[in-house]
Structures are given as structure tokens and as C-alpha cells.
Amino acid sequence: MTKPDSRADTGFAYSRAAFEELVDTALAHARKLGATDAGAEASEGCGLSVSVRKGELENVERNRDKSLGVTIYVGQRRGNASTSDFSRAAIEQTVQAAYDIARFTAEDPVAGLPDADDIAGRDQQPDLDLFHPWNIDSEQATELALRCEDAAFATDRRITNSEGAGVSAQQSHFFSAHSRGFRGGYASSRHSVSVAPIAGTGDNMQRDAWYSSMRDAQELAAPEAIGRYAAERALARLQSRKIATRECPVLFESPLAAGLLGAFVQAVSGGALYRKSTFLVDSLGKKIFPDHVDLLEDPLVRKGKGSAPFDEEGVRTKARKVVDAGRVEGYFLSSYSARKLGMKTTGNAGGSHNLYLKSRLTQAGDDLPAMLRKLGRGLFVIELMGQGVNYVTGDYSRGASGFWVENGEIVHPVEEITIAGNLREMFAGLQAIGSDVYNYGAKSVGSVLIGKMKVAGS
């Protein structure tokens, strides 16, 4: 059976050819057992993570894992099994286990691999430049983390403590195939630098954090810039206070606006839709946002954090408008959820790809100061706490902290408050999106101004 094939140029233990052999072995055994359809995926990940705190090394962690997953269909019965043992005997046992599970599972009329015309052929799998291994050792990573934390401490003497700084270099690759003719795989990487400084002393202490994450380490922000910015954020929150309960406009800082976008994606995803566990059931073709709002999905962005030439089922991906002039034009569906809804897959098995929430009213100069002026008098939120989102009703309630704004200028920091509303009303009341675009994983959006929310304080 396939043995590790050391790849000094990539840092992987297994080559693409080795993974193809493993997958083909699994599929051949599935056919031998009499499976109607079958799919298999071999994957490997490895990386280095280093953390420091107050100038001292805390942890050095190296990770390496591998897996072979198998899905078997017996008619419309489905079974899954996986193993980290790549010997032929272990693979055959895993296939047998998946086959046995499928035989004793209830039939599901929509279970099955994707339809053949949805599958990404070999000529429909562009190289998206997602793999940039970072040749960094633990000593170099430690030095970067220390530089990041040192910069935070050097920003101001009121930076008195730290929850630490970290550097992470991660990479993985996979190969997947199934009996409907799909074959594909690729390598990818994700690297980051982060820090969480603490400002003040005693009862007047505030923490904040910042990070940079990229597929290519050459594109990471400088560790000193990350440290300084994180420190400035913590310092700005000193002398925070409560405010009286009221209704007012709320401006969500761009990283938090990405969370609002995530809430929309969850609400129009297949599982929530066919279970009718979302407040946006049957929202296709309906106006959910104001006319000026568009949402684009583009899975084919080079180096994009949410880029993929095909989804987890091997379905080809493509750019599309999910929201056009406020109207929902598409859901996020896998083959299974699409069949449950009587629709076609959107290539979103495994989740959404690169998303861009935009306003047709946004100007190049609509940076954060401009957005604060649009807010006028209200709350600028920079941190949310708790998980107070009910996707069935759309009710939204989160602990929050940020800044009170008067006449478009920050007056003082605010903490220990709760903001509440309903997501349907919040989406409809989206007044503006800033040009201060922040990329949070697969989501890119500027700060978002919601016209009215309830703020519970003192």
C-alpha cells in the first residue's frame, strides 16, 4: 500500500499521486462490495503555532494529521466512515464499515451524489493560487510574535499586560473523487499573526485584539503595525461607561458587519430552509434589503480566503449575485438541500465562498470618520458578546461595547450594554455601508449603519 512520500518542497508527507492511489483503492473496493455510488477523499494538514506572553515563549505546537473519508450509497441509503490508517487493510475495513452503515440506514429519496451536469470537469478547475507554504521555524515565529507584542507594549505605558501574541503557519492538501466522474484536489495555506494587549489597571482595565491572516505570508501586515493597532484599540476603551436605555442608530464596525452578513447566509442556507427553521423561508425573489444593497459571491478570486474551484461534492463553482438591489436572487444550497427544496445546487456544499456586501450609494471617501458622521448621534459598536440570535424568528440580542457618538464624533467609550432588534427589520433598515472594507475569512464588507435598534443600558 502507499507509503509516505516526503515532499521537501511542500512540507507534506504524501504526494498528490499517493492520494489518488488511496482514493482509487477505496472506490475500487466499494464497487467490489456492490455499492451503487461511492466517493472518497484523502487529506493531510500540517503546521506550526507559536504563542508568547509578556516577552516569554509560552507554547510551540506542531500539528500533522491525515484522513481518508469514504461515502457509500446503496440505492438511496447512505453511509460514511473514515480512517487515519492508510494501509490497504484499513481502507478496505473503512469502506466495509461505510457500506454496512448504508445497508442499515433508512432510505432517503433525495440522497445521492451530485447530478453529472453539475460536476466540475478537469477543464473547469482553475488554479486559484491558494498554496503558499511559509518556510518558518519556531525560532523565527517566536521572534515575530515577540515583535508584535513588544510593539503593543511600546505604544503607551498604559498598556500594562497582555493575553499574548501568536504566529500560525498552516497548510493542507486533498484529493477527492466519486463514481459520478469527479476527480480533483488542491493544496492551500493560511497564515496569521495576532496579539491581545490589556490597557489600564485595577477596575479600569480594557482588552482588545487584532490580527492579520493571509494565504501568502508575504502579504501579512507587519507585526509592529498589528501590535500598535491592537494597543490603540485597547487604549481607546479606557474609562468606558454605561449609557441610558434608548432607541438609536447603530454603526457596526466592519469586522462585526461581517457577522451580520454571516447571519443572512445562515438564514438562507439549505438546511435551515428545508427544515423551515429560518425567518427567511421562501424569501427567494423577495425584497429583504433596501434597493441600494447588493451581495456578490465569487469563488474564483485568486488567493481568496473563500476561494474554491469546486465545492465539497465536486460541483463547479461560479460567481453570482445573491442579492440584487435588495432582492434575494439565490440561496446557499448543496445537492441534498437543493433536492429537498426542488431546486438546483448552487455549489455551496461546505458553505459560502468569497462574499462581498456592497451599497450602490457608497463613495470612495466613505471611510470610518465619514460613517461616524452619517451615524450622527448613536452607538458605534466594536465588540459583541453572547450568541443571542434566534434564526427562527430573527430576534437579535447581543451584549456589546463600543463608543457613544454625538454630531459624528466619538464622545466616550461604552460598555455593559445590550443591543436588540430583529434581523428582518435590521436588514431592511440598512442605511449605509462604508468603504472601510475588512476581509473576515470569506466575507468582505465595510462598516454597516442600521437605522434603529434598542440599546439597553443603565
Side-chain angles (χ1 to χ4, degrees):
M1 197 56 229
T2 301
K3 290 191 166 90
D5 173 17
S6 182
R7 310 289 292 168
D9 54 336
T10 65
F12 294 128
Y14 291 84
S15 66
R16 159 78 174 240
F19 275 179
E20 290 197 43
E21 183 183 344
L22 293 169
V23 167
D24 288 343
T25 297
L27 295 180
H29 194 60
R31 286 193 298 271
K32 181 179 177 181
L33 292 177
T36 308
D37 268 317
E41 178 178 302
S43 62
E44 175 188 11
C46 59
L48 167 70
S49 298
V50 168
S51 63
V52 302
R53 182 172 179 270
K54 298 183 73 173
E56 299 289 337
L57 177 64
E58 280 208 320
N59 290 297
V60 176
E61 179 180 333
R62 293 188 179 276
N63 60 287
R64 183 176 293 275
D65 56 78
K66 59 190 175 76
S67 177
L68 176 73
V70 179
T71 300
I72 299 291
Y73 292 93
V74 179
Q76 290 181 300
R77 297 182 172 94
R78 180 176 183 267
N80 292 92
S82 63
T83 181
S84 59
D85 183 344
F86 285 177
S87 68
R88 178 179 290 274
I91 292 173
E92 292 182 353
Q93 289 170 6
T94 302
V95 174
Q96 182 72 56
Y99 181 76
D100 290 341
I101 292 169
R103 286 193 304 129
F104 294 105
T105 298
E107 283 197 3
D108 186 335
V110 300
L113 292 172
D115 296 335
D117 58 354
D118 293 324
I119 293 169
R122 295 194 182 191
D123 60 343
Q124 299 170 313
Q125 300 178 25
D127 178 3
L128 300 178
D129 195 22
L130 305 181
F131 183 51
H132 296 269
W134 191 5
N135 184 22
I136 187 172
D137 60 29
S138 58
E139 290 79 12
Q140 293 168 323
T142 299
E143 180 194 0
L144 284 178
L146 288 171
R147 283 167 53 192
C148 186
E149 189 184 50
D150 287 347
F153 277 115
T155 302
D156 192 291
R157 66 180 60 186
R158 290 173 295 169
I159 300 296
T160 56
N161 207 335
S162 168
E163 290 187 356
V167 170
S168 176
Q170 301 291 326
Q171 60 188 59
S172 63
H173 73 127
F174 73 95
F175 178 77
S176 176
H178 58 61
S179 54
R180 294 283 176 92
F182 172 74
R183 296 181 70 84
Y186 53 87
S188 62
S189 56
R190 183 71 65 88
H191 315 300
S192 66
V193 179
S194 61
V195 66
I198 297 171
T201 58
D203 294 335
N204 182 31
M205 295 177 68
Q206 294 290 338
R207 169 206 175 275
D208 214 306
W210 200 250
Y211 74 99
S212 177
S213 174
M214 292 289 174
R215 292 197 181 276
D216 186 347
Q218 298 298 316
E219 297 175 0
L220 290 169
E224 290 81 5
I226 298 168
R228 284 192 299 271
Y229 186 57
E232 289 166 359
R233 291 176 65 89
L235 290 164
R237 298 172 69 164
L238 290 173
Q239 307 299 329
S240 287
R241 66 184 85 162
K242 290 184 180 181
I243 55 175
T245 298
R246 66 190 72 198
E247 283 191 344
C248 65
V250 173
L251 178 65
F252 288 83
E253 189 183 25
S254 47
L256 304 187
L260 290 181
L261 175 53
F264 171 75
V265 172
Q266 168 70 21
V268 292
S269 290
L273 290 164
Y274 75 71
R275 295 185 186 97
K276 299 190 181 298
S277 58
T278 168
F279 68 101
L280 291 183
V281 167
D282 298 325
S283 58
L284 196 65
K286 295 180 181 177
K287 183 86 70 172
I288 298 299
F289 294 93
D291 291 346
H292 63 91
V293 175
D294 296 322
L295 175 60
L296 313 178
E297 182 181 36
D298 189 353
L300 305 179
V301 177
R302 290 180 65 81
K303 289 188 178 181
K305 296 178 198 173
S307 294
F310 48 82
D311 71 4
E312 288 187 355
E313 298 178 311
V315 170
R316 63 181 173 273
T317 57
K318 59 183 179 181
R320 61 179 180 137
K321 262 194 176 180
V322 179
V323 173
D324 186 10
R327 196 176 306 277
V328 177
E329 298 294 339
Y331 292 150
F332 295 88
L333 307 176
S334 64
S335 295
Y336 183 86
S337 60
R339 290 171 187 146
K340 292 283 281 188
L341 294 166
M343 304 176 74
K344 291 280 288 181
T345 176
T346 58
N348 291 111
S352 61
H353 303 292
N354 301 304
L355 296 175
Y356 303 87
L357 186 66
K358 299 185 176 184
S359 168
R360 301 181 184 188
L361 304 178
T362 301
Q363 303 295 316
D366 285 337
D367 55 10
L368 182 57
M371 291 297 288
L372 290 171
R373 289 192 292 273
K374 289 184 180 185
L375 172 64
R377 183 175 188 268
L379 182 66
F380 173 40
V381 178
I382 66 167
E383 183 179 18
L384 293 170
M385 292 149 276
Q387 303 296 323
V389 182
N390 185 326
Y391 286 100
V392 177
T393 64
D395 289 340
Y396 181 97
S397 179
R398 305 283 302 276
S401 60
F403 300 91
W404 183 249
V405 176
E406 296 272 2
N407 298 316
E409 298 285 341
I410 289 175
V411 178
H412 61 78
V414 174
E415 65 180 357
E416 296 182 14
I417 57 171
T418 299
I419 58 173
N422 182 277
L423 284 170
R424 184 183 289 277
E425 296 170 1
M426 291 164 64
F427 293 155
L430 197 162
Q431 294 184 347
I433 301 174
S435 62
D436 53 334
V437 176
Y438 178 82
N439 175 261
Y440 189 85
K443 300 174 182 67
S444 296
V445 59
S447 52
V448 164
L449 177 59
I450 304 297
K452 184 174 69 174
M453 292 187 70
K454 295 174 183 177
V455 178
S458 56

